[in-house]
Amino acid sequence: MDISETEHNDSDPPVQENGNGEAVVEDEVNDEESNMETVDLGLDDKAADASSQNVFKNIDNEISDDQQNVEESENITPEKPEEISAPPTVVSSSATQEVTPPPAIESLPPLPEGKELELEPEELTSTPFSIEYDLTQPPTPGSTSRRDSYAAGNISRRGSLASFSKSFNISIPFSVGCDDVTSSLPRLLSKTTLIHSNEEGADETIQRLISSLHSNSPNTDRTQIVDHLFNLLVGGHFDQESKFVIEDVANVDHMLTLLSHCDCDLQNEIWSLFLAVMKKSNRNLEACTRVGLISKVLDLLPEAPPLLADLLVQIIAALVAYSINVKQTKHLLRALRSTKDQWPPNSLKLLHVLKEMPQHDSADVFFSFPGKDQSGIILPPIKTMPYQQGWTFATWLRMEPLNSVTFEKEQPVLYSFRTSKGIGYSCHIFGNCLVVNVEKAKGKEQSRCVKAELGARKWHHIAIAHCYSRWGRSDIKCFIDGQLAETIELSWVVTSTTSWDRCSIGVSADGAVNTAFCGQMGAMYLFAESLSLQQANSLFCLGPAYQSTFKHDSETSLPEGYKKHLFDGHLHSSLVFAYCPKNCHGQLCLYTPPKTAANTYFVQIPHAVMKEGVEVITTHSIHKSLQSVGGIQILLPLFAQIDLPSSHDNTIDGDVCQTLLSLISLLLSSSQSSQQQLFHSKGFLIISSCLQEASPSHLSMKVLEQIIHIAKFLLRCPAGGPLLKHLFDYILFNPKLWIRARPEVQVHLYQYLATDFLANNNFSQMLRRVPTVIEMCHTLKHFYWLALPQTVSDYTVEERPENFATAEIVSIRSAILTFINRIIISSNSPDEEEKARDQEVHTLLNLLATVREDDNLYDVLALVTRLLAEHPAIMIPAIDKNKALGIIFNLLAAPNELIRIPALKILGFFLSRSTLKRKTESMGSQNLFSLIGERLLSHKRTISLPTYNVLLEVLVEQMTPTFTYAAHQPAQPDWKFENPHLLKVIAHVISQCEETESLVQIKKCFLIDIINLCRESKENRRTILQMSVWQDWLIGLAYVFHTSESQNEVSELVWEAFSILLHHALRHEYGGWRVWVDTLAIAHSKVSYEKFKRRLAEAKAKAEKAETGEEAKMEPTPVYRAPEFAWSEVHIRLLADLLSGIERTVEEWKTQEGGISDQCNASENQVFVGNVVHVISQLADSLIMACGGLLPLLASATAPNNDMEIVDPCQQQLPISVAASFLMRFAKLVDTFVLASGVSFSELEQEKNMPAGGVLRQSLRISATVTVRHILASRIQQPDTPRYETNSAKKNQCIMDFVREALENFSPEGLENVERLVQDSDITRIKGVVYRDMVEENRQAQFLALSVIYLVSVLMVSRYRDILEPPSSPSPFFDSTTTKQENAERELPEGGSSEAVANGKVANDGDHASIKNGSDHSENGADEETEEKGEEGQGDNGGTIAAIKVANSDMKKDGNEYNEEELKKMHQSNGRRPSTLMPPQQTAERRAYLTTKLQTALETCAPLLREMMSDFRGYLQKTLVGTHGQEIMNDTKVLETLRNRNASVIELVMLLCSQEWQTSLQKHAGLAFIELVNEGRLMAHATRDHVLRVANEADFILNRLRAEDVSKHAQFEAESREQLQARYEEYSRCDLLIVSGRLRDSLNATRLLDKMSAILTDGDDSKSGSQFWKLDVWEDDSRRRKRFVPNPYGSRHEEANLPEGEKNEEPEISEQERIRKILKGLFSQRHATTASTGGQELVDESDIDKWAQEVDPTPSSQSACFSTAAKLIVPGVVVPGTLSVTATDLFFDANESDPNYKKQCAQVIREWGGGGNKKNNNLLLEKKYLYQMGERE
């Protein structure tokens, strides 16, 4: 078999020889070292097509890491260029090292038996030569095909001697003189030998290969064809590591010619290898670009099978990433355009090419260094190198070694600045490291290696800065990619007297071997100063595309922080040279130094020269080519094809949209101009429109992620704000688009908006806040509803897929609301912030106002609650300005409690964060607190614990953002009543609810909370007390007639609350006694009404039981009227608790220092003392009357027989026992607050409108009544008195009730000694009352003393009588049947006389008469005039009470009055002694007994009487006169009896029993006592009337408050309805604007898409006459429409006929007549126009010029929008709709739901709407016309 030769590569290194003259060949590199990455072509077509995106790996860095460890031979240099070498081998560093051959390559078949490798000697010595090798044995079955070996990476296309020898384990000797032996042997091929000559041309080679392919010979070796083809391409022996650069670009066309004759498998193999070769070197890419390979491959692509198409797509991708011109770009885009409603074959794969296109981060124009000897840039001579400020060389470079194996041997020079003597500076690359050299003297070179690696085939920025220090150490700083790689301390300054004439870049100046740089370089700079790290980093950030001289900062878009290091003038002025690829002409690198530094550094001209293949390469990025075609917008029509099927399998590719979006993202991120183009073309609008019309399957998670990726990029991009707004407005904020996507996609979208997007602090500046909130609220309402509208007329909702789960909708709504929340709380400029927030909150409130479904409101209410809780400073003013209370109260009336509770929360947060002024103006002025209760009870008479919890929070303004539905947290003592009106509201709601166990528990909670809040807080108690008629709602919580223990517990809590509040009123509040009176009155009203309801219920029950209607009529229908005051259990409990509180305070005083007296007189207790005295004064007389009255009780206590009826003449219905108990407690309070205090009662009496001294008189009445009670108790308790029996008479029962408590509780303060007439405590109390104000109010004291003298006298005389005449009957009390005179005579004690007895009878009769008189007086009472005067309290006359005048002549007589004749008759009979006397012995014993008994009984009274007689002697002498006017007290015996304190009590009693004393006491002292008693009776009646009057006043106040509430509530509800209606109308306008805006956007997108599609349409694409055009809606500044666009709805004139039913039915007229009418109309119109404008044209040229110079203002981020209802009138049409005005535009949007709109002619509407564009009826006017409109207004 013949094996073709391969050409010898002169650049291959020589082979080192060993001592035996044999070449030492190292082992073949392993599989990884081959670095040949291909594809396994054994895949089936289906699998290959499915994985077409990842068929080939990206071959960018073919240099394996293992190659860095390859050892090289030292000191071996080629002596002759023709020396034989083995290029792919690596020679060992040790000449004697043995080589262990690796296993044979499996792809080469073994030698057959008996066959040897035969080399013809004559052919070995000739060049060219051929080798014959015959393989008769077929390959082994297990051998791997060459194609598979390429895929596995086991074969390297080197064709080297090493691979040949190793495969067969042979050693080939070489003689030293054999110079013309080939450097490598060909590969072994299988079956076929091709014989050819190396002298044949490229065309001949291709024709020979084509002939071989067409020979159809079974022995044709396809692999050899591949080898020869690539040998042809590289111009020698092809090797992917050492010989891979395309030498002649024409051979690429030859390759295409050959490929056209290959089958698919061979094409796959060739293209796969060509792809790797092409990507190996930019020079190869440039070669392909020059032949226009992109267009040629695009032509091949439609017909290519799937696997080949993948390879072609990879080819296109690599070429497009390098360079693509405008023509090729158009070709590429047309290849993507659909044909016959299908994607062209394999066009979808092109999308993946564009998707994977890398960012173009290299320079578009750069220097290309071929790496040949002497190739580089030679600089002109430099006068001197700068050193004082240092110097820096900087450039961008990309290494591209020609030989991937031996490139480490090479030392390409980066720069070299030397003199003719060879001294100077240089920098070269060794391996992948930089080496800096300084040679100060010939042969004394200092080199330093920079510890940083430079990657091959990658752009790096290099800056070598030489820093000079005159006194310190100089150094060299190496900056790589903007970072300081290393600092080298080196004295680098080279001084030279000669010029630096051997300067070069990319090669050494002397052109030494292996010093040529291979690769690319950008602009090259030499600065006459040492750059800092900041400057180096800023240079790096400029990128390789910058090619200028740092003069103008507008040349770059770097941030200002970078620009200041580059464009401050230092770099520009320090430039030595700046050679930029853009500034080249031919082989010259042009440079113009700054004027200040012209020719400073160069000897002559500063231009450099490119030599030996160095050239300037210009590439065209896809971004610039797209810009030339039309920009990124030219890709937008592809989105309209995403729903088209593929022509391959007629299926829709679901990844097309994601691929297109990734391409858009790539272009946006790599070019700022793309961003501007996409913004001006409204690209996102077009994308949104296309997606909306396409299948929902395209709205996948990948698509969303890609869109989010674009959003994140634009958020980071400084200039991405405007485009970001488009993205959000048209795509992300377009619910009509996303509602069609899968639920999880939508959830992810809105969660991104609510989280990641909002994490950017600048998002508020990129969005129009108010329109965004409006759009989001619209989305919530119409798209993500949880419940359908209650009525169809409310609003319409968008349809959703049926697979939408409620949980997903809730998640979406939550994300949207979070988004709204973040927008509202975001900060903005202070001027716009408040206004924007008000509008945003207004929008949110509109949503609450217009949505009625509970499920659609829960989360919105939660959002508002959270906003109020966390940001009250934002929300409270906004809510106040928006008058949101109407919405809140509307929600409070919702039947669902889950709506009412959040509404209460919102109201609570509003109140808790509002100022007092705002709270008063918003709530108090309209009495809205009471409206809360009405709204809560509007649907159901129930209240739940959660509702109460929120009401409590509002009450104390302790709002929490959470909702408590289970437990109740008791109120804390430190909480305050911030909204006390709610106390009444809560109580009212509870009282109006239906009675249930849960309600009872809520009552308990409420009362316990009130008690907790009031017990320790004086402020809270005072707050309640300041409320109007607060007792009404509090007592309304109690059960007057409780039926269960739980109800009783509630009542107990109510009484406890009353006790706390009433005690506080008395203890701390001036005038607090009035609170008690009000409480009595209101309690009376409540109890009376409850009794009335009970009677009414009983009456109804009785009526229901009645058998006949007549019986039912007998029961009159009751009408409630407040009855007279009567005591009830409620009053008793309230008074008992009140007295208990006072008594506890008194007990506390007793334990304090100073005792009761000091505490009563302390200044801080004066209010308390005064209030308690008022309470005593208010109820004392009522209690006395409830006990039966003082006179009846006194009569019972003094009468020998109990014939007095003890009844309450006032009918207060207070049990006598209870009244007596209260009276006794009052008496004790009198001891403390009246007698122990020094308070003047004059002010108290004036406050109550009482007569002077009224309090002390009341105190005396109390004391007298208590004294009488003790006397009665003593009489019952005496041994000779029969005990009370249960079957006794009623009057006896009353007396027993009156004294029972005294009998049961003996104490020094009460009943202590039953033998005594008056107890010591009573004596002390009476004395204290009389003597309290004796000095200040002497006249009052005199009256009191006179009344007391009468009382004591009566008691002493009656007891004297009782002792002398004990009862003989078995009656409970004394009922003697014997005459008084006989008993008196029979039982006369020692020391007595008949005169005294006689006087005693008179006294008895007189006493009896006086009592009768008093009884009659008390029964009959005074006349009306007397009662009125008593209430007025006028004047004081002598010893009488002016307020209570008692006229004896007017008193009604009962026949038992005392008269003088009867008195004389009795006196005469008393003078005779009876005939039947007791025996003397019995009389003496009896007298002693009686004397002792009298002494014991009266010994406590006598001192009091004597003391008063003595102290008030002067007054009594004048007052107590005899029957003839004589002074009875001046008698010597009388004076002795009164003055002698040791005298017998009997003498004093006998004196009192005398006739004169009886008459005087009865006439004068008795009258005073009667006046005292009558005053008490009148006061009792006045108190009862006053309580009833207060009760009526309370009812009046409550009714007035209710009427006021009704009036104000009606006004508030009317205003709320108006506001609600306005909100509905406003929302309807917003809804119309949003819907119309979307329709308008859709039409704009269609128009823009048509325009963009027309750009790519060839003139030949449409047949002549089939393309219709129309004027574009675009206008210039003069409102002229000059641009034509394709008209898809166009038709020929003859086709534009109206339907039969719409033809014009007007009578036909002649053509001339028709023209005449038209001209006439035009003339009149022209004339009118000219007249109105003063004869001038509406628009002249100056206006046009002026408008052309106008600059549109920058649109505000918060563009104002005003809208109003309007009608658009055009000829023949009146269209209702909405007129909207923005900062730049005026829109009219038709309301298609309006009935008037539907009446219009559909054809006219369609034509007016513009070219058949469905529904959008829109008018757009430019801003200058808005200005004109504004001027007219």
Side-chain angles (χ1 to χ4, degrees), residues 990-993 995 1003 1032 1035-1041 1084-1102 1117-1121 1123:
I990 294 176
S991 301
Q992 296 297 318
C993 291
E995 187 70 21
K1003 278 188 178 181
D1032 177 74
I1035 203 172
L1037 298 173
Y1039 295 92
V1040 178
F1041 308 106
H1084 169 64
S1085 296
K1086 287 295 180 182
V1087 173
S1088 301
Y1089 185 69
E1090 290 296 326
K1091 292 180 179 179
F1092 168 75
K1093 290 196 299 183
R1094 173 176 279 194
R1095 291 195 303 269
L1096 184 61
E1098 293 176 353
K1100 288 182 180 180
K1102 186 176 180 180
T1117 302
V1119 178
Y1120 174 73
R1121 293 184 61 184

Side-chain angles (χ1 to χ4, degrees), residues 97-237:
Q97 182 178 2
E98 294 187 5
V99 178
T100 303
I105 300 177
E106 295 181 358
S107 62
L108 296 178
L111 286 172
E113 288 187 14
K115 296 295 182 181
E116 296 180 354
L117 183 63
E118 298 178 356
L119 301 177
E120 298 294 336
E122 63 273 14
E123 294 179 358
L124 288 175
T125 57
S126 62
T127 303
F129 66 94
S130 63
I131 300 176
E132 292 186 0
Y133 175 56
D134 186 14
L135 297 175
T136 58
Q137 182 177 349
T140 58
S143 63
T144 306
S145 66
R146 189 175 188 88
R147 170 179 162 187
D148 295 336
S149 299
Y150 291 156
N154 295 327
I155 294 180
S156 175
R157 291 186 174 274
R158 298 180 182 179
S160 63
L161 176 65
S163 62
F164 179 84
S165 61
K166 286 192 300 180
S167 301
F168 300 97
N169 196 17
I170 62 175
S171 176
I172 302 177
F174 290 89
S175 62
V176 177
C178 190
D179 295 337
D180 54 349
V181 178
T182 182
S183 61
S184 62
L185 293 177
R187 292 181 179 271
L188 294 177
L189 302 178
S190 60
K191 303 293 182 181
T192 303
T193 300
L194 295 177
I195 301 176
H196 67 278
S197 173
N198 279 341
E199 295 180 352
E200 66 180 353
D203 295 337
E204 297 173 352
T205 302
I206 294 301
Q207 290 300 325
R208 178 171 53 82
L209 295 177
I210 293 174
S211 300
S212 176
L213 287 173
H214 288 290
S215 64
N216 295 325
S217 172
N219 296 328
T220 301
D221 188 357
R222 303 159 67 91
T223 306
Q224 188 177 5
I225 295 177
V226 176
D227 286 343
H228 281 272
L229 174 61
F230 280 89
N231 290 340
L232 177 66
L233 287 174
V234 300
H237 172 65

Side-chain angles (χ1 to χ4, degrees), residues 1588-1607:
L1588 180 59
R1589 185 167 58 253
V1590 171
N1592 292 330
E1593 289 178 357
D1595 290 339
F1596 174 78
I1597 292 174
L1598 291 173
N1599 293 331
R1600 186 186 64 191
L1601 291 177
R1602 294 189 191 100
E1604 183 179 355
D1605 289 344
V1606 170
S1607 175

Side-chain angles (χ1 to χ4, degrees), residues 733-916:
F733 290 165
N734 188 355
K736 198 171 184 64
L737 169 65
W738 294 107
I739 196 66
R740 303 163 60 243
R742 294 194 305 274
E744 59 269 18
V745 175
Q746 301 181 50
V747 172
H748 184 63
L749 165 65
Y750 290 106
Q751 286 179 348
Y752 161 73
L753 293 177
T755 55
D756 295 347
F757 169 68
L758 297 179
N760 190 298
N761 295 328
N762 297 326
F763 77 90
S764 60
Q765 301 176 1
M766 303 175 184
L767 296 178
R768 295 180 300 163
R769 292 176 45 172
V770 176
T772 300
V773 173
I774 294 175
E775 179 69 28
M776 290 294 100
C777 291
H778 179 85
T779 301
L780 281 175
K781 185 174 180 180
H782 292 268
F783 291 90
Y784 298 105
W785 41 267
L786 291 168
L788 291 172
Q790 295 178 353
T791 58
V792 180
S793 60
D794 286 349
Y795 57 93
T796 58
V797 296
E798 298 289 337
E799 296 183 358
R800 286 199 308 257
E802 297 180 356
N803 60 345
F804 234 127
T806 303
E808 293 168 336
I809 298 177
V810 171
S811 299
I812 294 174
R813 290 176 64 91
S814 176
I816 293 176
L817 291 173
T818 303
F819 180 79
I820 295 175
N821 178 26
R822 184 64 184 276
I823 290 180
I824 292 177
I825 67 176
S826 63
S827 60
N828 206 338
S829 60
D831 297 336
E832 298 181 359
E833 181 175 351
E834 183 177 358
K835 183 178 180 181
R837 283 174 176 166
D838 291 346
Q839 294 177 352
E840 291 159 3
V841 175
H842 180 75
T843 301
L844 199 59
L845 295 174
N846 282 354
L847 179 63
L848 290 176
T850 56
V851 175
R852 302 179 184 178
E853 300 75 38
D854 296 343
D855 292 341
N856 298 335
L857 285 175
Y858 295 140
D859 46 7
V860 183
L861 289 172
L863 169 63
V864 178
T865 305
R866 185 168 64 252
L867 283 171
L868 282 167
E870 298 174 358
H871 306 280
I874 296 175
M875 294 296 295
I876 298 302
I879 287 182
D880 191 19
K881 292 179 181 178
N882 282 280
K883 297 181 180 181
L885 291 181
I887 299 175
I888 297 174
F889 278 90
N890 189 37
L891 295 172
L892 287 177
N896 189 348
E897 187 179 30
L898 297 179
I899 298 298
R900 297 196 300 268
I901 290 178
L904 278 176
K905 284 273 189 180
I906 294 173
L907 180 61
F909 277 112
F910 173 75
L911 295 176
S912 63
R913 302 300 194 273
S914 296
T915 61
L916 180 60

